[in-house]
Amino acid sequence: METKVVLDSKTFKEFTVFDCLKRRKAWKSPVTFALIMSISALVCFIMHKVDGAVLLGTVLLVLGLGMPIVYFVTFFFNINEEPKKQNLTNGRYVYTVDLQPSAIHVKNEKEEASYEWDKAYHAYRNYDAIYLYITSERAFIIPSDKTEQDKVWALISEKMKDRCTVLSINKINMRTIGEKN
């Protein structure tokens, strides 16, 4: 099954949010930091009779809430800017994925590579794309509007067995909302 992947900004953003915030759980550190700093600030506010405790509590609270806010604002700003830098605004051909029973073949204008199924890391099926991770850090995105997703997923599931996860197949496909037939 060969799929020419045209990546657009919406698919790129959805994948980046999934990869960073859900799969890698990059939200945990800033939230933990905010909780620790807020609890420390609360302790300082409880000890308000001690000189400088309120000031220290205020500084801890501002830092504890401010730094995670800056982290998330920067993260979402960057995922909105990156598609523009990569010329994905209107969609752009990035690679072709050919899923064969024997191997995974990927090619673009510059290179070609093959990967054995048993060495592939993990596959995730979202409501509008399949994220096929070759390693824990490298994934190929297969948008569902460019594939027969059920057939592709059946082959991936057969080959990767327990390394497949369905994320949210029942969500409304946001690509079709507002489109006229």
Side-chain angles (χ1 to χ4, degrees), residues 39-141:
I39 290 169
S40 299
L42 181 64
V43 169
C44 289
F45 292 139
I46 290 171
M47 298 174 52
H48 67 280
K49 293 183 181 179
V50 176
D51 287 341
V54 173
L55 177 62
L56 179 59
T58 303
V59 169
L60 291 173
L61 189 60
V62 168
L63 285 173
L65 298 178
M67 288 183 69
I69 289 170
V70 168
Y71 173 86
F72 286 112
V73 167
T74 303
F75 173 78
F76 285 106
F77 175 79
N78 286 338
I79 66 168
N80 283 323
E81 291 300 311
E82 193 62 30
K84 295 173 192 168
K85 291 178 187 174
Q86 293 188 26
N87 195 25
L88 299 175
T89 307
N90 296 319
R92 176 175 65 86
Y93 167 78
V94 285
Y95 48 77
T96 300
V97 177
D98 187 12
L99 303 175
Q100 295 297 320
S102 58
I104 304 161
H105 304 285
V106 182
K107 62 184 176 184
N108 62 21
E109 289 118 5
K110 298 177 184 174
E111 58 188 346
E112 189 171 330
S114 292
Y115 305 95
E116 296 175 22
W117 282 107
D118 61 340
K119 296 206 169 121
Y121 180 73
H122 204 96
Y124 297 90
R125 183 178 184 178
N126 201 356
Y127 64 96
D128 68 345
I130 294 172
Y131 308 139
L132 180 58
Y133 282 82
I134 300 303
T135 68
S136 64
E137 299 298 317
R138 183 172 188 176
F140 294 106
I141 305 167

Side-chain angles (χ1 to χ4, degrees), residues 6-13 88-92 175:
V6 176
L7 192 60
D8 60 12
S9 59
K10 183 176 185 333
T11 304
F12 175 83
K13 290 175 189 177
L88 299 175
T89 307
N90 296 319
R92 176 175 65 86
R175 296 174 189 286

